[in-house]
Amino acid sequence: MRSFRGKCYLGSCFWNEYRSRSSLPQLRPNDRHSLITIIPTVYSSAPPLDVVEGWTWAPHWPIGTYKHPPGPAWLIEIMHYLTPGYLLGPYLLSQIAVALTYLFIYLLGCVFMDKWRALAGTLLLTGPLYFSYFTTQFNHNVLQLPFWSATILIFAHIFKAPARTSLWVILGTIIGAGMYAKYSVCVIAISVVIAGLYFTLIREQFRTPRPYFMIMTAGLTFLPHLIWLFELIS
């Protein structure tokens, strides 16, 4: 693990030196995702700790674990059949999650502003560690990123067209599926409900079945894990 972190640190130093030289061409976002996927795969002798934990659960397809929802373990097992070895799959999953997050944030920006400003706002996300260094370890924190951004994106569309029933159903499906990534997705779900009660156009929809379709869809999506939780408690 120390060796892996040391190599990532050296890679980060190299990247900063590269960016500081204005005469060199700048890498595009897709090039960056490729680098963060390929370099750890080539130079790592073992998966990161959270990935090892995911590999422990993955072959059993658990509906739940003592620690977190099973979403990452499911995806790790799926990638086991699609990619060679034990390293490439998890690293690739992390970059797919981050790329989807970038896409959803960009589309969210396009709802409220022009495409160039939306792109500029999306590029600002490349700075935080949670979108770069920490993504080398595929875990629940990384997997929940696209679900948070997708939830906000769909809510923004509901704000523009609150009478579209399909948007409410999609929002419920995203929230329910996101709960398999990490339980903290319920925070953004609660925030959506509070925001919906605050804005008049959306608050009026609570007199219709649409918000309750969202709640029902989310509950049905998350129901298998919810049943497992209650059985575990009892």
Side-chain angles (χ1 to χ4, degrees), residues 104 142 154 162 211:
F104 295 147
V142 174
I154 299 301

Side-chain angles (χ1 to χ4, degrees), residues 38-158:
I38 296 172
I39 292 177
T41 301
V42 173
Y43 289 98
S44 296
S45 58
L49 182 60
D50 285 351
V51 176
V52 173
E53 186 178 56
W55 274 117
T56 304
W57 290 324
H60 308 287
W61 291 95
I63 194 62
T65 70
Y66 75 94
K67 188 176 181 181
H68 285 300
W74 292 351
L75 293 178
I76 287 175
E77 183 66 9
I78 291 173
M79 292 302 288
H80 174 61
Y81 295 101
L82 300 178
T83 59
Y86 293 90
L87 295 173
L88 177 60
Y91 288 133
L92 184 59
L93 282 171
S94 288
Q95 299 315 310
I96 290 174
V98 173
L100 287 174
T101 303
Y102 286 155
L103 174 62
F104 295 147
I105 293 298
Y106 170 74
L107 294 175
L108 174 64
C110 290
V111 174
F112 298 104
M113 61 190 71
D114 62 79
K115 294 181 179 181
W116 287 109
R117 286 193 292 173
L119 179 61
T122 305
L123 291 176
L124 291 175
L125 288 176
T126 61
L129 287 174
Y130 283 97
F131 288 90
S132 55
Y133 174 76
F134 289 155
T135 62
T136 56
Q137 184 158 218
F138 180 69
N139 54 24
H140 302 80
N141 293 327
V142 174
L143 182 57
Q144 72 172 337
L145 292 175
F147 289 102
W148 278 67
S149 56
T151 298
I152 300 172
L153 171 63
I154 299 301
F155 182 76
H157 281 288
I158 290 176

Side-chain angles (χ1 to χ4, degrees), residues 184-202:
S184 56
V185 170
C186 69
V187 174
I188 190 64
I190 295 172
S191 300
V192 162
V193 174
I194 294 174
L197 293 172
Y198 176 80
F199 294 108
T200 304
L201 289 176
I202 301 179

